[in-house]
Amino acid sequence: MADRRPSYDTNRTKLKDVIPLSGPFGMYIEPTRNCELKCFYCMHATRGDPSGELAKTGFKMAHMEMDAYKKIVKDIMSFPTTPKRITFSGLGEPLMNPRLCEMIQFLRSAGFKERCDVLTNAVSLTSAQADELVSSGVNRIQISVQGLTGEAYKKVAGVYVDIERYIKAISYLYKRKGECEIFIKIIDSNLEKPSDEALFYEMFEPVCDSIHIEHLVVMEHQMGDLGGKVDRSLNLNREPFVPREVCGIMFYFLQVNVDGDVYPCSTPGLPTAFSLGNVKEKTLSEIWNGHKRNRLLRGNLVNGYRAFPPCRECSSVVCITDPAEYLDDCREEMLMKIPEIVEL
């Protein structure tokens, strides 16, 4: 039987004991902005609407350029300590980039030995792609299921999916996964009736190592509370929501999007104005140790994460109510550890 626990590590070092870090513990790299789905909770739901939230961002639908990606990998390997995990994920569907496996292989060939993950909806997964993924060096593949029937997919994601073919493709991946872990999840709001919870496990538990039903939270602030569907009393893992003022994530995380813009967390679709810098102009180390990130961290400690407009409605900071990341009770101590950088 697959492990039904939430997808996070409970054996973690207390963040306050290791701040400041010489480099990120975790990173997201966005291999593409393209997606074949239009899930109701994502800006892609407005794709094609000239006045929709996706159009308002001005984002181009494109794959990450390989030259930029190779620069990112070089920068990653230049940190004093490489990240503990790199995840290929973003606003788009990673499998839509035909060079995804090549990207993972390049990362491994550069000497990266830590954990490498891919977050995918697996709708377009083929046998050949499954074989490529497993041989590329990926450690963990997280599959987000959007419905238990083709009709449910049409309702949630705007696309009809042949569920029988879908499970068959995942089953092929699972049988050939080797040392790679397969994690499958679904959002609770995508289960149409109470009996669907047992049905979800029945359908997908045989083809994965771990499985979980997550709670619907706000990930892209542009989408608001999704028409009142978001229940803020629970976090991502359906645990009681515990308020906090300081975001711990931005102290140990970086995301690089398709355009090379760098952000302090994993939230997809953040506005360009919130970027800490661009890898085409600076190294990741320069961005990590730069004035803009320094001001962000100090502002987070002094005023709380809600002082930043893109963070105000974000649920990422409380998706995992992890005591190891709690900094509210040591803000003055952390400010002393992160002295203000004086611009000359």
Side-chain angles (χ1 to χ4, degrees):
M1 179 180 290
D3 188 340
R4 295 188 180 185
R5 289 178 297 179
S7 176
Y8 65 91
D9 184 5
T10 55
N11 184 26
R12 301 178 69 187
T13 303
K14 286 186 177 181
L15 186 59
K16 69 177 183 178
D17 293 338
V18 294
I19 289 175
L21 295 167
S22 60
F25 273 171
M27 284 187 64
Y28 269 24
I29 298 175
E30 182 180 58
T32 185
R33 274 213 191 93
N34 296 302
C35 188
E36 66 273 73
L37 302 184
K38 301 177 75 173
C39 299
F40 75 91
Y41 52 82
C42 175
M43 283 190 285
H44 273 286
T46 70
R47 192 174 66 240
D49 179 357
S51 61
E53 294 301 328
L54 187 60
K56 290 177 184 177
T57 65
F59 290 153
K60 61 180 180 181
M61 296 298 106
H63 303 318
M64 178 175 280
E65 297 174 0
M66 282 300 291
D67 286 346
Y69 173 71
K70 290 179 179 180
K71 161 69 164 50
I72 292 166
V73 172
K74 179 182 177 182
D75 288 355
I76 287 171
M77 299 309 297
S78 296
F79 278 118
T81 303
T82 55
K84 296 180 182 296
R85 180 176 69 160
I86 291 177
T87 302
F88 291 87
S89 178
L91 192 60
E93 163 51 46
L95 296 188
M96 292 198 75
N97 186 332
R99 303 183 74 174
L100 173 65
C101 294
E102 180 185 343
M103 294 170 80
I104 298 171
Q105 290 168 344
F106 183 83
L107 178 65
R108 291 303 191 194
S109 68
F112 185 75
K113 300 184 185 303
E114 303 293 337
R115 178 171 154 185
C116 176
D117 293 7
V118 171
L119 307 190
T120 175
N121 59 47
V123 166
S124 63
L125 181 67
T126 64
S127 298
Q129 209 168 30
D131 289 333
E132 278 190 289
L133 275 171
V134 172
S135 64
S136 69
V138 67
N139 297 107
R140 188 172 185 268
I141 300 171
Q142 176 175 302
I143 299 172
S144 297
V145 176
Q146 306 302 329
L148 304 185
T149 66
E151 291 74 18
Y153 259 90
K154 183 69 175 177
K155 181 179 178 181
V156 169
V159 175
Y160 180 88
V161 171
D162 183 334
I163 295 297
E164 185 176 345
R165 190 216 66 81
Y166 183 57
I167 294 177
K168 185 177 180 180
I170 296 173
S171 177
Y172 181 93
L173 171 66
Y174 181 64
K175 289 175 182 176
R176 288 159 176 78
K177 70 183 183 69
E179 297 299 314
C180 179
E181 179 189 350
I182 309 299
F183 171 64
I184 295 179
K185 68 180 183 105
I186 194 170
I187 297 172
D188 50 12
S189 64
N190 289 349
L191 299 174
E192 299 180 299
K193 50 187 182 296
S195 61
D196 279 353
E197 182 165 333
L199 180 60
F200 168 66
Y201 288 122
E202 180 184 333
M203 291 171 65
F204 291 97
E205 200 162 26
V207 294
C208 67
D209 300 293
S210 52
I211 190 168
H212 192 60
I213 298 172
E214 295 183 341
H215 182 60
L216 177 66
V217 297
V218 177
M219 293 300 290
E220 299 168 20
H221 74 282
Q222 299 94 331
M223 300 302 289
D225 67 354
L226 303 172
K229 292 182 179 180
V230 176
D231 169 17
R232 296 179 184 271
S233 68
L234 300 176
N235 68 14
L236 181 72
N237 298 305
R238 299 200 291 177
E239 301 162 339
F241 167 80
V242 178
R244 61 181 61 186
E245 294 295 325
V246 178
C247 171
I249 297 172
M250 60 179 70
F251 288 88
Y252 67 85
F253 205 92
L254 286 181
Q255 174 198 169
V256 188
N257 74 5
V258 163
D259 302 316
D261 287 315
V262 181
Y263 297 93
C265 73
S266 61
T267 299
L270 287 166
T272 305
F274 195 53
S275 169
L276 301 176
N278 192 287
V279 293
K280 297 176 184 179
E281 301 166 356
K282 296 181 178 181
T283 66
L284 284 174
S285 182
E286 287 172 335
I287 292 170
W288 181 260
N289 296 300
H291 297 281
K292 198 163 186 179
R293 182 171 177 270
N294 176 262
R295 288 193 295 268
L296 181 73
L297 297 184
R298 290 183 59 83
N300 179 23
L301 289 167
V302 173
N303 302 309
Y305 71 89
R306 290 187 182 86
F308 309 108
C311 306
R312 195 164 294 145
E313 299 300 324
C314 178
S315 292
S316 293
V317 67
V318 289
C319 279
I320 301 173
T321 310
D322 189 343
E325 291 184 17
Y326 191 75
L327 300 175
D328 284 15
D329 59 353
C330 58
R331 293 159 84 160
E332 291 298 326
E333 179 186 349
M334 294 303 102
L335 278 169
M336 292 179 65
K337 289 187 174 185
I338 304 178
E340 184 175 4
I341 297 176
V342 179
E343 294 188 64
L344 300 177

